[in-house]
Amino acid sequence: MASMGDPMQGLMMDMPLLITSLIQFAAQYHGDTEIVSRSVEGPVRRTTYRQVFARAQKLANALTAYGIQSGDRVATLAWNTDLHLELYYAVSGIEAVCHTVNLRLSDEELIYIINHAEDRILFFDLDLAETVDRIASKLTTVERYVVMTGPDHMPARIPDNTVAYETLIGEESERFAWPTFNENTAASMCYTSGTTGKPKGVLYSHRSTVLHAMASCYASTLDLRTHDVVLPVVPMFHVNAWGVPYSAPIAGAPLVMPGPKLDGENLFNLMDAEGVSIALGVPTVWMGLLDHMDAVGRKPNGFDRVIIGGAAASETIIDRFELDHGVKVHHAWGMTEMSPIGVVNTLKPKFSDMSRKEQMPIKVKQGRIVYGVDMRIVDDAGSVIPNDGQSSGRLHVRGPWIVDTYFKADESALTEDGWFDTGDIATLDADGYMHITDRAKDIIKSGGEWISSVGLENAAIAHPAIKLAAVIGIPHPKWQERPLLICVAEEGEELPSLAQVKTFLSDQVPKLWLPDALEWVDELPLGATGKILKADLRSSYAGYTLPEK
Ligand code: AMP
């Protein structure tokens, strides 16, 4: 008979999962492993996990001496560099919150986010000095500014109370007594891109960050290893560079930090010189790199795997990497609210004997569910629908590295039964492969059917004359909405007509999806995280008249 008392407790150590343990481990056992950064000043800077940890201790001493206390927010407006890494570890390690602010935002958005977070100190990179100086008078809680350079590089325009990073930490000790505290303590914060209303703060904990970092290293996730050389092109201000600054130390893998230069040629040269084996970023960045790889006729030395996430990876981009250059592609999906990783695409062994053509519908899916994340697909009425890989609906998630409540929100962000609605429309199959068909707000509703704007965009960019594509719904008296295809042309190609594009698309998508109109533009509006701003396109094309059929 079951006993009625308290359940029997395990007799194992109860040690909190704290972020400091990650860098401590790397500094102790991979101390000479390199961290290479393209500095904002220009030259490439080389350091090691041991040195980063030593300097993080100097910074922890400086922040504590200044009076930063548990729960205080310390903001960064910075590129991916070793200094930013030192900040990640020093700030969280003293029980404060490292708030990474997206430096591509407008002045108004920066002011809103920094004031909302109530940041006390703002660390910023040299090239952002003018921005900071411009907005400083509107930042109501920032008491002190730190420019991330040495005293010799002080920019001309800076707020009065600004000190150089190297001056701040210069005299401090390389020893710091890291506190131990509850693993649910807040560690870092990132605001969502705010495509639907005001940006919202996601407050990661030590526990969520460490669990996410451990799961990132699984073979079926990022498969990070000691012999990898890891390049996070995804910025440290966008969901903590997908957690790489926390997962690479677990693997003891060298890190290459690209600083501010993210164009194809600069990325290629850095990767080639450092032998980067795995790189992570959004499709737009990879288009630039691929163009450069095509121009020089080879891949960077040692380049083995690319993780593509943040927006859909098309078949074209997968083929360009894999077939033209022999670089393996893993598609991945996640979101700010999920730390961010939810799925990563690796093929199960049962698919390995298939032809490439048969594998492609699996490879273009966002990926296979990672242990630690639970998913379900729900229809408009809120009922859970089968994991058959066919039925699409709203994607709900839950797990220990997924948001519960936004910063300063009055209520939980979850459904009544404890799931987070991602706002994505997806299918899920019995093998755990998830496929995003659209954002809920971008899907085009036509004659009672759904047209996936993402599906149509991916099909369109396979056309040789189409470099970039975006599809939006235009109101239609009979069909409710019909798709308008907006394209950027590939240089040097003759522009096809709407009829020619429709013929091209007709073997790839259902007839109902074929666009009613085609517009050519010089560029598409991109948001601060590299995604196409559909909301901007919808307002630019408000009142657009579709041609008569
Ligand atoms: P963010 O919080 O800015 O990272 O945005 C998260 C959103 O980006 C997701 O909810 C998706 O709509 C989109 N997203 C991320 N990765 C992918 C992907 N691989 N394919 C399609 N959409 C993606």
Side-chain angles (χ1 to χ4, degrees):
M1 227 176 98
S3 91
M4 301 294 288
D6 289 339
M8 182 184 272
Q9 296 295 297
L11 295 173
M12 308 307 280
M13 289 190 197
D14 184 12
M15 285 182 65
L17 301 172
L18 298 182
I19 283 175
T20 311
S21 68
L22 303 170
I23 190 76
Q24 228 155 12
F25 170 79
Q28 190 167 2
Y29 299 110
H30 303 279
D32 53 359
T33 297
E34 272 196 320
I35 318 273
V36 178
S37 308
R38 162 129 347 101
S39 68
V40 179
E41 293 87 343
V44 167
R45 196 163 51 217
R46 313 189 86 84
T47 177
T48 61
Y49 278 119
R50 187 179 299 119
Q51 284 168 305
V52 163
F53 188 45
R55 284 169 52 90
Q57 312 212 47
K58 283 162 107 42
L59 179 56
N61 277 312
L63 291 170
T64 312
Y66 176 74
I68 293 296
Q69 295 185 355
S70 171
D72 282 348
R73 270 80 69 201
V74 173
T76 65
L77 205 52
W79 299 100
N80 293 11
T81 65
D82 50 339
L83 298 192
H84 208 171
L85 195 63
E86 291 166 12
L87 272 155
Y88 264 42
Y89 283 103
V91 175
S92 307
I94 63 168
E95 222 178 319
V97 178
C98 182
H99 173 205
T100 52
V101 185
N102 185 337
L103 50 79
R104 298 208 179 95
L105 296 175
S106 66
D107 286 7
E108 291 73 50
E109 289 167 315
L110 291 173
I111 294 164
Y112 171 81
I113 286 176
I114 294 171
N115 288 343
H116 188 266
E118 300 179 60
D119 297 321
R120 285 189 62 192
I121 306 190
L122 174 59
F123 285 76
F124 61 93
D125 265 330
L126 210 48
D127 58 334
L128 292 151
E130 277 191 23
T131 307
V132 173
D133 191 50
R134 209 168 47 236
I135 63 175
S137 65
K138 306 242 173 58
L139 302 179
T140 51
T141 59
V142 177
E143 305 152 18
R144 189 152 210 220
Y145 296 87
V146 183
V147 56
M148 293 163 65
T149 188
D152 306 345
H153 284 95
M154 290 303 268
R157 279 184 57 190
I158 38 173
D160 290 341
N161 42 350
T162 303
V163 62
Y165 186 94
E166 297 302 336
T167 310
L168 178 77
I169 70 167
E171 301 295 311
E172 299 293 342
S173 160
E174 285 187 1
R175 293 196 166 273
F176 181 78
W178 297 101
T180 300
F181 42 86
N182 186 302
E183 64 183 14
N184 287 308
T185 304
S188 67
M189 179 152 70
C190 183
Y191 278 69
T192 59
S193 26
T195 42
T196 47
K198 288 269 185 220
K200 297 189 268 290
V202 180
L203 192 56
Y204 309 104
S205 68
H206 282 257
R207 173 186 154 82
S208 69
T209 307
V210 173
L211 288 173
H212 177 268
M214 287 163 74
S216 302
C217 294
Y218 305 156
S220 55
T221 311
L222 303 180
D223 191 15
L224 294 186
R225 303 171 191 200
T226 315
H227 64 241
D228 272 320
V229 179
V230 188
L231 172 84
V233 182
V234 50
M236 291 172 80
F237 54 77
H238 187 198
V239 220
N240 295 328
W242 299 350
V244 171
Y246 303 117
S247 51
I250 295 182
L255 274 170
V256 178
M257 300 297 217
K261 293 193 173 152
L262 305 180
D263 60 286
E265 184 174 356
N266 273 296
L267 279 180
F268 183 97
N269 292 341
L270 184 66
M271 292 172 76
D272 201 40
E274 300 303 330
V276 166
S277 63
I278 169 168
L280 306 93
V282 296
T284 36
V285 160
W286 300 133
M287 299 294 254
L289 179 69
L290 278 166
D291 286 347
H292 193 75
M293 282 160 64
D294 289 349
V296 296
R298 67 176 180 97
K299 66 177 182 178
N301 166 39
F303 192 18
D304 179 49
R305 284 174 291 152
V306 59
I307 312 290
I308 308 183
S314 63
E315 189 170 334
T316 312
I317 201 169
I318 298 176
D319 276 348
R320 284 182 74 190
F321 270 119
E322 295 197 338
L323 298 182
D324 299 354
H325 295 285
V327 177
K328 295 187 234 31
V329 173
H330 297 283
H331 198 182
W333 166 90
M335 56 196 312
T336 308
E337 286 89 338
M338 298 179 65
S339 302
I341 297 179
V343 303
V344 179
N345 203 317
T346 52
L347 285 184
K348 281 191 170 179
K350 63 180 172 186
F351 304 122
S352 52
D353 290 337
M354 287 179 166
S355 69
R356 186 171 175 83
K357 192 156 179 262
E358 287 166 328
Q359 285 175 346
M360 199 42 97
I362 309 167
K363 286 169 81 73
V364 295
K365 290 188 177 189
Q366 273 61 25
R368 190 149 61 80
I369 192 158
V370 170
Y371 170 77
V373 176
D374 201 5
M375 292 185 170
R376 70 178 186 188
I377 309 284
V378 169
D379 67 16
D380 272 350
S383 309
V384 177
I385 50 181
N387 293 348
D388 59 7
Q390 300 294 325
S391 323
S392 63
R394 298 185 80 92
L395 174 63
H396 287 186
V397 292
R398 64 178 180 191
W401 57 80
I402 296 172
V403 72
D404 179 311
T405 307
Y406 290 107
F407 184 57
K408 290 186 177 171
D410 296 330
E411 48 188 51
S412 160
L414 308 186
T415 61
E416 273 182 8
D417 58 348
W419 292 76
F420 178 73
D421 184 339
T422 61
D424 284 327
I425 304 292
T427 64
L428 181 62
D429 70 18
D431 285 309
Y433 286 92
M434 187 276 283
H435 189 200
I436 303 261
T437 50
D438 222 332
R439 284 296 287 169
K441 59 185 186 315
D442 294 338
I443 204 131
I444 297 154
K445 294 189 170 158
S446 186
E449 301 280 338
W450 284 3
I451 298 175
S452 157
S453 65
V454 175
L456 195 48
E457 285 156 10
N458 283 341
I461 54 176
H463 191 291
I466 299 178
K467 185 169 181 190
L468 289 173
V471 174
I472 56 170
I474 300 290
H476 188 282
K478 177 167 170 206
W479 297 102
Q480 186 183 356
E481 279 184 332
R482 288 297 302 153
L484 161 66
L485 173 64
I486 306 163
C487 297
V488 176
E490 192 67 66
E491 253 173 63
E493 296 281 340
E494 199 179 316
L495 293 192
S497 65
L498 172 65
Q500 285 167 324
V501 171
K502 280 167 78 166
T503 310
F504 173 81
L505 291 172
S506 55
D507 329 331
Q508 306 178 61
V509 301
K511 187 157 179 287
L512 169 89
W513 289 23
L514 295 175
D516 281 28
L518 167 67
E519 292 289 336
W520 294 97
V521 292
D522 291 337
E523 55 185 26
L524 288 169
L526 292 183
T529 51
K531 294 180 216 258
I532 297 172
L533 295 173
K534 295 277 185 79
D536 284 17
L537 284 176
R538 278 192 285 267
S539 60
S540 311
Y541 287 89
Y544 184 86
T545 318
L546 292 168
E548 295 282 330
K549 278 231 199 162

